[in-house]
Amino acid sequence: MQEGRVTRIESKDIYVISNDGSEIRCVLPGKIKNKYSLKKNKLNTLDIVAVGDFVKYSLKTSGNETVGIIEEIAERNNYVSRKAPKIRGRGEKGKRLEQIVAANVDKLIIVTSIANPPFNNRFVDRMLVIAESSEIEPLIIINKIDLDENNTSNKWKSLYESIGYKILEISVKEKLNVDLLQSKIQEGKFVFWGQSGVGKSSLLNHLFPGLNLKTGEISDYSKKGKHTTVTAKLIQINSKVSVIDTPGIREIEPYGISKNDLGHYFIEFLPFISDCKFNTCTHFHEPGCAVRTAVEQKKIHKERYQSYLNLLQSIEE
Ligand code: GDP
Ligand code: ZN
């Protein structure tokens, strides 16, 4: 049996990179589909296999092509998922299903820019919730600091650092701090995420020469709308480093987080949550809410609280 890791999925074709570095097209046989069957196991996920999964497969040659037959999917250490776009998946009770975007990752690299497009802290906070809920360490990158004439990025840097997050200001264009970032990603399984135009492709090309990702394209996000198909792609840089790029997925709605849990993923709320009067407090309108008091006393930043409220509102229950 061969072993490898899923690099991309195109309809029924699952591409797997083997330990020797070659890529092979694999298929899922019926018995595996049955084993992981949605209905049988009452799973809420759309995906039997996901980008980043470690798989075992056997080889089958038909004609002049050798294909892999997936025999086993290893249990995931963790994964990043989102609510499946409405058009694809509605579960039996009309709830949106979970879609796994990337499996088995060590670090979530959230790429933003300070200008053109402007820094979007709501996006960062959504991604941080994803990171916390999937137990993946986040790293925030603010790119294009060459455009930051008024040094506004410093304000955001202090905010996120005060919570305990790592944040790095860089400029791919001026090669500022890119070496520092490089030194932090010498080993690991990374997923890169950023909204359109922030310079994610430029950054990846710079960090990993030879990738040749297309840059400077007009926002595919606005062109195709919100519900584009998942096109995460894993690139095995070398034996120690793999990168999952998410070009088709600019936006993400966290999956499976209840209104009651959400506060736990805003980690600076944690010391206050236990002091709320009601243990079911959603820190919105309830009396005796210690989180709201902390916001009023500026112990929690109002921008983070606003992100929290936005997310709270988006949770359908
Ligand atoms: P992506 O959509 O996030 O993959 O962004 P791209 O890598 O395609 O970059 C979008 C645009 O931003 C391109 O025109 C890049 O040349 C530009 N860009 C990337 N990094 C920087 C930077 O550090 N400073 C400036 N001023 N522009 C940058
Ligand atoms: Zn509360």
Side-chain angles (χ1 to χ4, degrees):
M1 202 107 77
Q2 317 283 314
E3 288 181 28
R5 197 165 175 218
V6 175
T7 57
R8 67 196 154 96
I9 298 171
E10 287 170 11
S11 140
K12 290 192 165 79
D13 296 326
I14 297 152
Y15 291 86
V16 172
I17 187 160
S18 68
N19 293 339
D20 68 17
S22 60
E23 204 175 47
I24 181 168
R25 185 173 72 87
C26 292
V27 292
L28 270 182
K31 61 175 184 202
I32 295 280
K33 281 190 201 156
N34 268 338
K35 189 172 161 193
Y36 296 92
S37 154
L38 238 168
K39 273 200 185 126
K40 206 166 100 192
N41 297 315
K42 295 201 166 50
L43 295 176
N44 284 315
T45 172
L46 279 172
D47 309 280
I48 291 171
V49 63
V51 170
D53 270 339
F54 290 99
V55 295
K56 288 187 178 162
Y57 58 96
S58 55
L59 298 174
K60 188 180 154 198
T61 305
S62 57
N64 50 12
E65 196 199 12
T66 302
V67 293
I69 312 290
I70 292 182
E71 307 279 354
E72 224 178 288
I73 303 161
E75 203 180 317
R76 295 173 187 123
N77 287 331
N78 59 22
Y79 59 87
V80 179
S81 71
R82 66 165 183 175
K83 272 187 201 157
K86 284 193 177 96
I87 43 164
R88 257 190 78 189
R90 281 216 164 245
E92 283 166 30
K93 295 185 205 92
K95 278 207 170 166
R96 280 160 69 188
L97 298 174
E98 180 175 35
Q99 190 164 44
I100 298 170
V101 177
N104 304 312
V105 287
D106 306 322
K107 207 175 253 185
L108 173 62
I109 303 197
I110 306 165
V111 188
T112 68
S113 56
I114 198 61
N116 194 17
F119 187 76
N120 183 346
N121 61 308
R122 301 280 172 259
F123 173 79
V124 171
D125 292 339
R126 273 198 301 281
M127 294 312 297
L128 289 173
V129 166
I130 301 253
E132 294 299 342
S133 63
S134 351
E135 298 184 31
I136 300 168
E137 191 190 335
L139 169 64
I140 306 163
I141 304 289
I142 306 186
N143 186 30
K144 307 200 189 185
I145 53 162
D146 55 289
L147 301 176
D148 190 20
E149 281 154 15
N150 302 318
N151 197 13
T152 48
S153 83
N154 200 38
K155 176 187 108 184
W156 295 113
K157 188 167 186 271
S158 324
L159 194 170
Y160 287 103
E161 276 176 347
S162 75
I163 301 168
Y165 287 119
K166 295 206 175 92
I167 183 159
L168 205 58
E169 299 164 290
I170 68 164
S171 165
V172 178
K173 191 178 166 203
E174 312 265 311
K175 312 281 174 283
L176 283 168
N177 279 346
V178 187
D179 290 353
L180 189 59
L181 174 58
Q182 190 110 46
S183 70
K184 291 181 192 294
I185 54 170
Q186 291 298 305
E187 187 165 359
K189 302 195 254 331
F190 305 102
V191 54
F192 279 70
W193 216 298
Q195 293 189 300
S196 189
V198 297
K200 176 167 60 71
S201 312
S202 308
L203 175 63
L204 285 168
N205 283 339
H206 184 76
L207 292 171
F208 310 111
L211 277 189
N212 295 321
L213 301 175
K214 283 184 203 155
T215 63
E217 282 179 300
I218 303 165
S219 163
D220 49 6
Y221 177 65
S222 56
K223 260 195 308 198
K224 289 184 204 151
K226 211 171 186 171
H227 303 305
T228 49
T229 42
V230 174
T231 55
K233 219 173 142 178
L234 182 142
I235 307 144
Q236 192 72 44
I237 305 289
N238 56 44
S239 62
K240 286 184 184 159
V241 179
S242 69
V243 167
I244 296 178
D245 186 21
T246 54
I249 318 156
R250 303 299 191 173
E251 269 304 336
I252 187 158
E253 266 185 82
Y255 176 88
I257 296 175
S258 69
K259 284 188 190 250
N260 224 270
D261 286 346
L262 182 64
H264 293 91
Y265 304 126
F266 282 74
I267 55 173
E268 75 275 36
F269 293 12
L270 289 174
F272 304 102
I273 285 177
S274 52
D275 291 336
C276 291
K277 189 173 172 196
F278 300 105
N279 62 10
T280 54
C281 190
T282 63
H283 326 301
F284 172 40
H285 53 74
E286 296 90 342
C289 173
V291 170
R292 264 193 5 242
T293 306
V295 176
E296 280 154 24
Q297 294 174 345
K298 298 193 163 54
K299 290 176 185 161
I300 290 173
H301 201 289
K302 63 177 189 324
E303 282 293 337
R304 288 275 292 169
Y305 183 61
Q306 190 56 50
S307 289
Y308 170 79
L309 290 180
N310 289 10
L311 270 167
L312 187 70
Q313 218 179 16
S314 73
I315 294 174
E316 327 158 357
E317 266 183 340

